[in-house]
Amino acid sequence: MRFTWATRTDRGKVRDHNEDSVWPHDDGHTEEALIVAVADGMGGHAGGEVASSVALETATTVGGDPAMRIRAANLAVVDAARDRPRLAGMGTTLTLGVFDPDGDLDIAHVGDSRAYLWRDGELSQVSKDHSYVAELIDAGELAPEDAANHPYRSVVTRAVGLDQTVEVDSYGVVLEVGDRILLCSDGLTDMLTDDEIARILEGAAEVDQAADDLVKEANGAGGVDNISVVVVEVTA
Ligand code: CA
């Protein structure tokens, strides 16, 4: 299998800086293994930007399986904050995928940045948010359709960089030719419904157009947060 990808990260229409980071920085294609990732930083002052970039630098270079990469990123962010009061309390989401040309995708995930699989016209969310509203939905106390408007929708229950240890969730996907995989920050999913995301992935001829259209439509819907997307297409 071969992989063609496009990544975008955009400040949005409201925020004055971008605390998200994406990997890779450039679009491309490969017949070899591919690592992709999205991180959405949080924390006052410069903290969010530092947390997401330190996490991605570490997770994409350290080696090991996706969950090990995230645990290493966690320690790197904790270390970066140590003795630097300006960065105290910084953290980040991290969703990372490793594509194997033999046809497997391994995903590891902390926070509320998401991984989606688009296959045969159907969009399914692969990752499960570590967020307050996701817990409310699981407990039957909130209807899924009300989540997008909940006042605490951006409160995460797990993040990278807050503690020496972090609980990481892992998911596996057996890839098929024609699959499109989307990793994204909540700046996309707070602005667009899953149906809108599916329509954009369906309508774009190429991954770079899909990535451009996702960012454009999220900005068109308000762009209240930083918007980051990674779109990967699987070909024979
Ligand atoms: Ca965000």
Side-chain angles (χ1 to χ4, degrees):
M1 284 177 176
R2 295 163 51 89
F3 310 114
T4 306
W5 73 88
T7 67
R8 302 287 183 271
T9 184
D10 189 272
R11 190 164 51 83
K13 297 280 210 201
V14 175
R15 300 283 174 88
D16 59 10
H17 57 297
N18 188 353
E19 297 186 317
D20 288 359
S21 296
V22 295
W23 185 267
H25 294 305
D26 299 319
D27 299 351
H29 57 89
T30 186
E31 298 176 1
E32 298 177 358
L34 169 68
I35 298 174
V36 300
V38 169
D40 176 353
M42 60 203 81
H45 307 289
E49 285 161 88
V50 174
S52 66
S53 63
V54 166
L56 279 202
E57 276 168 33
T58 304
T60 55
T61 54
V62 72
D65 70 28
M68 291 163 68
R69 290 170 180 273
I70 290 186
R71 285 195 289 271
N74 180 66
L75 291 172
V77 175
V78 169
D79 280 350
R82 185 171 292 143
D83 302 326
R84 296 169 76 185
R86 200 173 63 90
L87 300 180
M90 69 175 177
T92 185
T93 73
L94 181 49
T95 302
L96 179 141
V98 178
F99 289 79
D100 183 326
D102 289 338
D104 291 317
L105 167 61
D106 291 322
I107 293 170
H109 156 73
V110 171
D112 66 352
S113 301
R114 292 181 180 170
Y116 284 95
L117 169 66
W118 180 84
R119 174 178 289 169
D120 299 332
E122 299 276 326
L123 187 72
S124 52
Q125 187 178 330
V126 177
S127 60
K128 189 172 160 186
D129 294 351
H130 303 137
S131 69
Y132 178 65
V133 293
E135 288 186 0
L136 286 180
I137 292 167
D138 266 2
E141 291 173 19
L142 182 71
E145 58 270 26
D146 294 332
N149 298 314
H150 197 282
Y152 300 145
R153 64 183 174 276
S154 52
V155 175
V156 294
T157 49
R158 285 191 222 171
V160 164
L162 300 184
D163 199 354
Q164 289 286 337
T165 60
V166 64
E167 190 182 351
V168 181
D169 287 348
S170 297
Y171 307 91
V173 176
V174 178
L175 295 169
E176 294 182 6
V177 170
D179 285 351
R180 287 180 171 178
I181 285 82
L182 167 67
L183 270 58
C184 60
S185 63
D186 67 343
L188 182 80
T189 51
D190 282 351
M191 293 292 104
L192 302 180
T193 64
D194 284 7
D195 285 348
E196 290 167 328
I197 292 169
R199 175 178 51 74
I200 295 165
L201 290 173
E202 176 105 40
E206 307 287 347
V207 287
D208 55 351
Q209 189 199 335
D212 285 339
D213 289 350
L214 287 165
V215 170
K216 189 172 144 204
E217 295 215 18
N219 273 322
V224 300
D225 195 2
N226 310 141
I227 305 153
S228 295
V229 301
V230 179
V231 185
V232 182
E233 182 163 72
V234 180
T235 53

